[in-house]
Amino acid sequence: MPDQSPPEAASQPSPTAATASGEAGADPGPAGVSRRRLLGTAGAAGLVLGAAGGAAGYAAAPAGATPLSSVGSDRAMFHGKHQPGITEPLQARGHLVAFDLAAGTGRPGAAALMRRWSATAERLMAGEPTGHDDTDVARDAGPSSLTITFGFGHGFFDRTGLRKQRPTALDPLPDFSGDRLDPARSNGDLWVQIGADDALVAFHALRALQKDAGGAARLRWQMNGFNRAPGATAHPMTARNLMGQVDGTRNPKPSDTDFDRRVFVPAQGDPAWMAGGSYAVVRRIRMLLDDWEKLSRPAQENVIGRRKADGAPLSGGTETTAMDLEKTGPGGDLVVPINAHARITRPDQNGGAAMLRRPFSYHDGFDTDGTPDAGLLFVCWQADPLRGFVPVQRKLDRGDALSPFLRHEASGLFAVPGGAAPGEYVGQRLLEG
Amino acid sequence: MPDQSPPEAASQPSPTAATASGEAGADPGPAGVSRRRLLGTAGAAGLVLGAAGGAAGYAAAPAGATPLSSVGSDRAMFHGKHQPGITEPLQARGHLVAFDLAAGTGRPGAAALMRRWSATAERLMAGEPTGHDDTDVARDAGPSSLTITFGFGHGFFDRTGLRKQRPTALDPLPDFSGDRLDPARSNGDLWVQIGADDALVAFHALRALQKDAGGAARLRWQMNGFNRAPGATAHPMTARNLMGQVDGTRNPKPSDTDFDRRVFVPAQGDPAWMAGGSYAVVRRIRMLLDDWEKLSRPAQENVIGRRKADGAPLSGGTETTAMDLEKTGPGGDLVVPINAHARITRPDQNGGAAMLRRPFSYHDGFDTDGTPDAGLLFVCWQADPLRGFVPVQRKLDRGDALSPFLRHEASGLFAVPGGAAPGEYVGQRLLEG
């Protein structure tokens, strides 16, 4: 399969490109630059800064209007070797949604749905209205880095008579002792991930896709999340979670030589329709913040194995310094405790298992006793869950110092096909294969 | 009482100020400019662009780090004639929270709480950590336009023995026929409004204030909201709600000669402790989006009385053109229907009643049948609810074309004292008066 990325998708963002989009006289600014750096330079693949395409949408600025800043005009590409929403920088707002196919939808109905969804996603990601019935909720805004990603759950293959095409990688995840999973908020035949740097753009996309589902699929569960806003931080390398930790330091980087092998199903992979695809593990991980915040800062740092302020390993250095696993303190104890989260999750401690974590934080208010219903919408990407999430979570389950402060409340595993070529819809190689 | 605004608070944002904050060579950019324009130029009062104060916090950029963009470095002032969070531009993220005083807290406990909260709010709004027990969730980010606003509900005055000081303006709102109010999510002794352009900054503030409450007050209800992200739109004059409408066109502007009289209690007002304060009406207004989206665009426009695309009155012109209430079409019918929302809510149709609406949209997922739990966290500000929210809502209740698509699910009315002078805490003139 040829690489379907448009030529500009792999290029670095440049002030020239930004200026060409109409930001005359405006420096693309630190926000634009910092976002691009989040996943390393190559993480910008599939993202076009200040894309001229944005001007084709209803966000086109009228004469005299303030031009879009890079927040509004940043645009990710729908077509490509991989679906969007995997290597793009974390967006400020996210929706995760699962649908179940309606009885009788079957393979033709599922194919028609994926065709509708793909056409809508392409328009939305370009900042264009969905049609004459567009709700106008995103009007005036640019694409705002919107990405829409589609996946198939275990049940999808039963409902569409495609059991033989179901990847073994979709076999149910093993049970973990700490799991407290709510089946109503887990799994699902279809999964959609929506991310954007503007909350109205994200909501608009969510409603448009829900309307497209029509009678073919009904909403099963839906979760809202968020990340730091573009431009809010001077530390673009670091994302923080609601425990206050620097999160994602050891994520594979697109510039790593083995990045594609770890994250994406190869072109000659099995099954063939998953070429260029990836598997997403989704976990709603509640953080027991009241307990966590009772710990002193040094105690929290021992749980993680890294300094809270800057994410540097307790063995010294900066955030990106390699952790010295053998270093001992004056008393002979390991400086990075044996059950520290960052020690246990290291790829070299897990047979090389690695995954690309790309989460959103969530906060759904408080329980009646004042306990926050907040934590992480953990989303991780890998070529094979048995060499990514599963071995790492198994190890965490056996003795991670962080586990007592977390509660996995929902879980999903989805096969995310490769990106659609122009004229193709997502999953076409499965549904018409 | 002298105007306690620091001299720079009333000044216009300038590239010079931005450069002084460390954004060397970076144009403050369209995002910064557009945000300032949201409520008109004078709406920037109390907001300092690229404030040097941000550098005093833990957001100070280390050598070599990408400097904060204006999103992170924008800072509103805690001290002033009025509390922050009233005239500042809408922020991308908001939390509304109500607390009830614990039995036995009384006046001294309430005073101590307001002192703690004021000290914390001042630090947070400067982008500084709250102390050694700071959770670090906002670390690396600037103030991000954070505002924290405190109000007192009807019950506050019973619990503190200050019944005689309770303003008559806090008398319970009348019932409206369309109300479907949930008492558990309505009212409350204390109300806190948090707004910021970064979701982690807002969450950090929420948790810090919850911790400060300690045993003195317990959380009663909490709601999350959002608005368009800074820089996502080229149309800074317009905010949109989840019905896709331009919202806020007729809001009073700080540059209006009668703005202060409409929004703030005067210096010689009654009661004296409310000088410079305002009354906030809070309504959780669910939008029945499935019904709304079934209407054609012309039908929606007749409900509102304005064009959906640009907010212009149906009688012609642009968003800011005065509505021609008498204009008739070829058939002799009024062009702006008699029950159109924008006609009914006009101040000149309500004895001059006016309020400053400053809402957040909300989306708390979907009901089990797929109906979105979404709408508006309506917050409006006025010197007197009987000359603001009440008469307008009464009129809407009698025959507004929009009402069938809305459901008021929660309600609160709060006395928001004037801003604290340096060394003073919010509400001190009541609690130590």
Side-chain angles (χ1 to χ4, degrees):
Chain A
M1 193 184 65
D3 183 331
Q4 292 139 353
S5 301
E8 71 274 26
S11 70
Q12 296 219 22
S14 73
T16 312
T19 302
S21 77
E23 296 189 52
D27 187 303
V33 174
S34 67
R35 295 289 287 174
R36 299 296 80 67
R37 286 186 189 158
L38 250 181
L39 288 177
T41 303
L47 191 77
V48 180
L49 182 69
Y58 56 13
T66 309
L68 293 179
S69 84
S70 71
V71 172
S73 57
D74 272 3
R75 176 183 169 191
M77 302 310 292
F78 175 72
H79 294 296
K81 188 173 175 183
H82 314 299
Q83 285 194 63
I86 304 174
T87 55
E88 281 82 3
L90 302 173
Q91 293 107 331
R93 182 80 173 176
H95 299 300
L96 307 183
V97 209
F99 294 84
D100 285 333
L101 288 172
T105 293
R107 182 168 166 179
L113 173 58
M114 293 311 300
R115 189 184 292 279
R116 286 197 299 279
W117 270 356
S118 296
T120 297
E122 183 179 357
R123 294 189 70 89
L124 291 170
M125 286 178 53
E128 295 170 7
T130 53
H132 70 280
D133 62 346
D134 189 276
T135 62
D136 274 3
V137 170
R139 186 185 275 265
D140 313 321
S144 303
S145 300
L146 176 69
T147 59
I148 299 172
T149 321
F150 301 104
F152 302 137
H154 193 268
F156 181 85
F157 299 84
D158 298 320
R159 239 74 72 200
T160 52
L162 288 164
R163 250 186 227 103
K164 286 187 183 164
Q165 297 294 322
R166 179 160 55 209
T168 55
L170 273 192
D171 287 352
L173 295 173
D175 294 330
F176 300 102
S177 67
D179 286 357
R180 299 289 180 274
L181 304 182
D182 175 3
R185 289 196 289 186
S186 295
N187 302 312
D189 294 344
L190 290 154
W191 177 67
V192 186
Q193 174 191 256
I194 298 168
D197 281 330
D198 179 81
L200 280 94
V201 166
F203 182 82
H204 175 254
L206 175 63
R207 285 291 285 171
L209 296 169
Q210 188 191 11
K211 185 184 289 183
D212 273 350
R218 61 172 187 77
L219 201 141
R220 180 184 172 87
W221 55 257
Q222 193 267 318
M223 300 172 189
N224 296 332
F226 56 90
N227 284 300
R228 183 133 283 164
T233 179
H235 300 249
M237 283 298 291
T238 60
R240 283 192 190 265
N241 61 34
L242 298 187
M243 284 177 157
Q245 304 160 23
V246 174
D247 200 345
T249 301
R250 298 271 313 176
N251 244 347
K253 313 240 170 336
S255 53
D256 296 345
T257 52
D258 56 359
F259 180 83
D260 275 10
R261 188 175 59 76
R262 290 177 186 281
V263 176
F264 296 114
V265 176
Q268 289 76 33
D270 179 40
W273 66 266
M274 271 294 285
S278 185
Y279 293 91
V281 174
V282 180
R283 311 278 284 191
R284 186 182 198 267
I285 306 179
R286 182 155 169 164
M287 294 173 168
L288 308 182
L289 293 177
D290 287 335
D291 295 337
W292 173 253
E293 292 171 9
K294 280 186 196 118
L295 295 188
S296 69
R297 179 177 300 262
Q300 290 179 345
E301 291 179 335
N302 278 330
V303 165
I304 302 300
R306 291 182 174 274
R307 284 203 304 258
K308 215 175 167 194
D310 60 2
L314 293 184
S315 52
T318 67
E319 183 187 344
T320 52
T321 304
M323 183 173 281
D324 181 349
L325 297 172
E326 310 303 330
K327 186 172 179 179
T328 52
D333 291 338
L334 287 167
V335 170
V336 178
I338 198 75
N339 62 349
H341 184 74
R343 172 192 286 271
I344 291 179
T345 53
R346 284 173 55 90
D348 56 12
Q349 304 286 303
N350 291 284
M355 50 194 168
L356 175 66
R357 291 178 298 136
R358 191 176 183 282
F360 296 89
S361 290
Y362 79 88
H363 172 226
D364 291 339
F366 293 81
D367 295 345
T368 48
D369 65 354
T371 304
D373 184 6
L376 201 66
L377 301 181
F378 175 95
V379 182
C380 74
W381 299 91
Q382 57 255 295
D384 179 359
L386 293 180
R387 292 183 48 77
F389 176 77
V390 172
V392 175
Q393 188 58 27
R394 273 216 178 99
K395 199 154 179 191
L396 290 174
D397 205 38
R398 281 199 296 270
D400 168 41
L402 184 60
S403 293
F405 302 95
L406 304 177
R407 189 192 297 150
H408 289 236
E409 298 190 330
S411 176
L413 169 61
F414 303 98
V416 172
E424 194 189 30
Y425 62 86
V426 173
Q428 183 167 340
R429 281 162 264 167
L430 167 68
L431 288 159
E432 301 183 14
Chain B
M1 192 184 68
D3 184 331
Q4 290 138 355
S5 302
E8 70 274 26
S11 70
Q12 296 219 21
S14 74
T16 313
T19 303
S21 77
E23 298 189 50
D27 186 306
V33 173
S34 67
R35 296 289 287 174
R36 298 297 79 66
R37 286 185 189 159
L38 248 182
L39 287 176
T41 304
L47 192 76
V48 180
L49 181 70
Y58 55 16
T66 309
L68 294 178
S69 83
S70 73
V71 171
S73 57
D74 272 3
R75 176 183 170 193
M77 302 310 292
F78 175 72
H79 294 296
K81 187 173 175 182
H82 313 299
Q83 285 194 62
I86 303 175
T87 56
E88 281 82 4
L90 303 173
Q91 294 107 330
R93 182 81 174 175
H95 299 300
L96 307 183
V97 208
F99 293 84
D100 284 332
L101 288 173
T105 294
R107 183 168 165 179
L113 172 58
M114 293 311 301
R115 188 184 292 279
R116 287 198 298 279
W117 271 356
S118 297
T120 296
E122 183 178 357
R123 294 189 70 89
L124 291 170
M125 285 179 53
E128 294 169 7
T130 53
H132 71 281
D133 62 345
D134 189 276
T135 61
D136 275 3
V137 169
R139 186 185 276 265
D140 312 322
S144 303
S145 299
L146 176 69
T147 59
I148 298 172
T149 321
F150 301 103
F152 301 137
H154 193 269
F156 181 84
F157 299 84
D158 298 320
R159 239 74 72 201
T160 53
L162 289 164
R163 251 187 227 106
K164 286 186 184 165
Q165 298 294 322
R166 179 160 55 207
T168 55
L170 273 192
D171 287 352
L173 296 172
D175 294 330
F176 301 102
S177 67
D179 286 358
R180 300 289 180 273
L181 305 182
D182 176 1
R185 290 196 289 187
S186 295
N187 302 312
D189 294 344
L190 290 155
W191 177 67
V192 185
Q193 174 191 258
I194 298 168
D197 281 331
D198 179 81
L200 281 93
V201 166
F203 182 82
H204 175 254
L206 175 62
R207 285 291 284 171
L209 295 169
Q210 188 190 11
K211 185 183 289 182
D212 273 349
R218 61 171 186 77
L219 201 141
R220 179 183 173 88
W221 55 258
Q222 193 267 319
M223 301 172 188
N224 296 331
F226 57 90
N227 283 301
R228 184 133 283 164
T233 179
H235 299 249
M237 282 298 290
T238 60
R240 282 190 192 267
N241 61 34
L242 298 187
M243 285 177 156
Q245 305 160 23
V246 173
D247 200 344
T249 300
R250 298 272 314 176
N251 244 347
K253 314 239 171 340
S255 53
D256 297 346
T257 52
D258 56 359
F259 180 83
D260 275 11
R261 188 176 58 78
R262 290 178 187 282
V263 175
F264 296 113
V265 176
Q268 289 76 32
D270 179 39
W273 65 266
M274 271 295 286
S278 185
Y279 293 91
V281 175
V282 180
R283 310 279 284 191
R284 186 183 198 266
I285 305 179
R286 181 155 169 166
M287 295 173 168
L288 308 182
L289 293 177
D290 287 336
D291 296 336
W292 173 253
E293 292 171 9
K294 280 187 196 118
L295 295 188
S296 68
R297 178 177 301 263
Q300 290 180 347
E301 292 179 336
N302 278 330
V303 165
I304 303 300
R306 291 182 174 275
R307 285 203 304 257
K308 215 175 168 194
D310 60 2
L314 294 184
S315 53
T318 66
E319 183 186 346
T320 52
T321 303
M323 184 173 281
D324 180 349
L325 297 172
E326 310 303 329
K327 186 172 180 179
T328 52
D333 291 336
L334 287 168
V335 170
V336 178
I338 197 75
N339 62 349
H341 184 74
R343 174 192 284 270
I344 291 179
T345 53
R346 283 173 56 90
D348 56 12
Q349 304 286 303
N350 291 283
M355 50 195 169
L356 175 67
R357 292 178 297 135
R358 192 175 183 282
F360 295 90
S361 291
Y362 80 87
H363 172 226
D364 290 339
F366 293 82
D367 295 344
T368 49
D369 65 354
T371 304
D373 185 5
L376 202 65
L377 302 180
F378 174 95
V379 182
C380 74
W381 299 91
Q382 57 254 296
D384 179 359
L386 292 181
R387 292 183 48 78
F389 176 76
V390 172
V392 175
Q393 188 59 27
R394 274 216 179 100
K395 199 154 179 191
L396 291 174
D397 206 37
R398 282 199 296 269
D400 168 40
L402 184 60
S403 293
F405 302 95
L406 304 177
R407 189 191 297 149
H408 289 236
E409 298 190 330
S411 176
L413 169 60
F414 303 98
V416 173
E424 195 189 29
Y425 62 86
V426 173
Q428 183 167 341
R429 281 162 264 167
L430 167 67
L431 289 158
E432 301 184 13

